[in-house]
Amino acid sequence: MESPNFTHGSMSVNETLVQLSHATEPAMALPIFMFAGGAIGNLIAIIVLSVSRPKRKSSAFYTLVCGLAVTDLLGTCLASPLTIANYLNRDVLENQHFCEFHSFLLLFFGLTGLSIICAMAAERYLAICCPYTYQRWGVDRRFAQKFLFFIYISHIFFCCLPMMGMAKSQLQQSRTWCFIDWKTDEPVAYSVLYGVVSLLLILGTIVLNLAVCGALLLMRQRTVQRPVTRASVRERWRALSSAAETQMIAVLVMTSVVVLACSAPLVV
């Protein structure tokens, strides 16, 4: 009498395991799809930028866009495998060392992306609204490369502070990612500082983008209102509506919307 019960019980366990494996498959699809989409998208962006005209490659804006694409690609390739591994084995991020490393990756690449976006907005603002300052400071490809290097070094140090005891990283409620503990009763100086810095970068990007768009609209309005000859109209239209300038503003606005939409929930 015991044998049938034992067999029935083992079959129930097997069925349960099969059901769990089938339930995990849809959950696994999401991080894999996000990883593939992020990696392929950034690779396409880097390839497109690499075949651009040499004149565009020498600009500071081009360098910042390349830096953003490379940074996002590195973040995707480093953080996503840990997330996928955690879906396969829920104990991966239970390890405190893995959890702290995953938290560092999210902190670093999130803040670095916001900083580069803000730098892109500031570069366009100086180029359009303050051209004399732009020329005097020598904002070019080398200047942008130095600024990117400064962003990376400073953000690595800043985002390593939780590992030094300034904050505690913990597995979040969904148990699929780690981040600093916002609700801890311990000193929250780092959490507040990170939130304030991120919020300032978001607000700065929005203000600079609005200022650039407003300046371009005002310049075009003044051009339309002036009584000018056909030749001068052609020259001003070339100056104000060049394809390169329009592409830069379009890339900046679209990239800002995507990055800010992804980063705002962690800050607000």
Side-chain angles (χ1 to χ4, degrees):
M1 296 295 293
E2 294 181 358
S3 179
N5 292 335
F6 178 78
T7 305
H8 177 73
S10 63
M11 289 177 64
S12 299
V13 171
N14 291 335
E15 290 176 358
T16 302
L17 292 175
V18 171
Q19 291 176 357
L20 288 175
S21 64
H22 286 310
T24 307
E25 290 178 0
M28 277 291 301
L30 179 60
I32 293 175
F33 175 77
M34 294 178 64
F35 170 65
I40 295 173
N42 283 296
L43 284 173
I44 293 175
I46 293 172
I47 293 173
V48 171
L49 291 169
S50 64
V51 297
S52 300
R53 298 176 182 177
K55 184 178 180 181
R56 293 183 183 179
K57 292 182 180 181
S58 62
S59 66
F61 187 82
Y62 170 89
T63 304
L64 292 173
V65 173
C66 287
L68 180 63
V70 172
T71 300
D72 196 50
L73 178 61
L74 287 175
T76 301
C77 293
L78 290 175
S80 294
L82 271 178
T83 303
I84 296 173
N86 189 68
Y87 272 91
L88 294 173
N89 182 2
R90 292 291 182 173
D91 295 332
V92 171
L93 290 181
E94 293 285 353
N95 185 297
Q96 187 60 26
H97 296 294
F98 284 138
C99 188
E100 289 181 351
F101 180 65
H102 195 251
S103 177
F104 164 78
L105 292 176
L106 296 182
L107 289 170
F108 173 74
F109 288 105
L111 192 64
T112 302
L114 287 176
S115 299
I116 296 176
I117 284 288
C118 190
M120 290 165 57
E123 190 272 343
R124 284 297 85 199
Y125 175 81
L126 288 176
I128 294 173
C129 301
C130 307
Y132 294 107
T133 303
Y134 189 87
Q135 292 293 332
R136 187 172 67 252
W137 288 1
V139 181
D140 54 7
R141 182 178 183 179
R142 186 175 298 274
F143 183 94
Q145 289 173 343
K146 293 179 180 179
F147 195 77
L148 285 173
F149 181 76
F150 169 76
I151 289 177
Y152 293 146
I153 296 300
S154 60
H155 287 22
I156 287 174
F157 173 76
F158 181 69
C159 295
C160 279
L161 292 179
M163 299 182 184
M164 303 176 185
M166 290 288 294
K168 181 181 178 182
S169 298
Q170 71 169 13
L171 190 61
Q172 299 301 305
Q173 189 173 0
S174 64
R175 311 192 70 79
T176 57
W177 61 296
C178 289
F179 206 67
I180 53 177
D181 186 6
W182 299 95
K183 301 178 181 180
T184 181
D185 295 330
E186 300 177 3
V188 294
Y190 181 84
S191 300
V192 173
L193 181 59
Y194 185 88
V196 169
V197 171
S198 300
L199 185 60
L200 289 176
L201 290 172
I202 292 174
L203 293 177
T205 301
I206 294 174
V207 171
L208 290 170
N209 284 338
L210 291 176
V212 169
C213 294
L216 288 176
L217 291 175
L218 184 61
M219 292 168 63
R220 291 190 178 186
Q221 184 178 5
R222 289 177 179 176
T223 302
V224 171
Q225 292 176 351
R226 290 178 183 175
V228 291
T229 63
R230 183 179 301 177
S232 59
V233 168
R234 189 181 297 111
E235 292 176 358
R236 290 178 182 176
W237 183 258
R238 288 176 180 174
L240 298 177
S241 304
S242 65
E245 196 72 24
T246 304
Q247 288 178 3
M248 287 182 181
I249 299 300
V251 168
L252 175 60
V253 172
M254 289 188 295
T255 308
S256 299
V257 170
V258 173
V259 173
L260 297 182
C262 296
S263 302
L266 293 176
V267 179
V268 176

